[in-house]
Amino acid sequence: MQFTDYLSITLKIIVSLSILNVWLVQFNKPTRWRGGDAKTILEEFKVYGLSKTQYYIIGFLKISLALVLLVSIQFQNLTLLGSLGLALLLLGSIAMHLKIKDPLYKSFPAFLFLVMTVVIAILA
């Protein structure tokens, strides 16, 4: 294996586990990164003007694509689906922070993971 293979695997693990952590472990806990004054992900979606249905759809997509990205370590042909799918959702996250005029630091995690997913796609 080459350095780029190790880099890709490392980024896949970081991105996937982080997204799974946010959506499955930390979803009901306040963080400094949440949009507006939201304390939970569901409250954050309300701040953005999104519905509970959109919350469930986006949550399902983020969790599913994070799992696809993890599985792509073994099945390389899934890499673009996982990385570009997550990149699109992360762009949406950044757009929502900008929409409600959050301080820029609140969109930093989404931006950082966007960069990582694009690097994963480029290395694929």
Side-chain angles (χ1 to χ4, degrees), residues 48 87 89-100 107-112 114:
Y48 297 146
L89 292 173
L90 290 162
L91 275 173
S93 298
I94 294 167
M96 290 296 109
H97 282 290
L98 294 174
K99 173 186 171 187
I100 64 166
S107 38
F108 177 74
F111 176 76
L112 179 61
L114 172 62

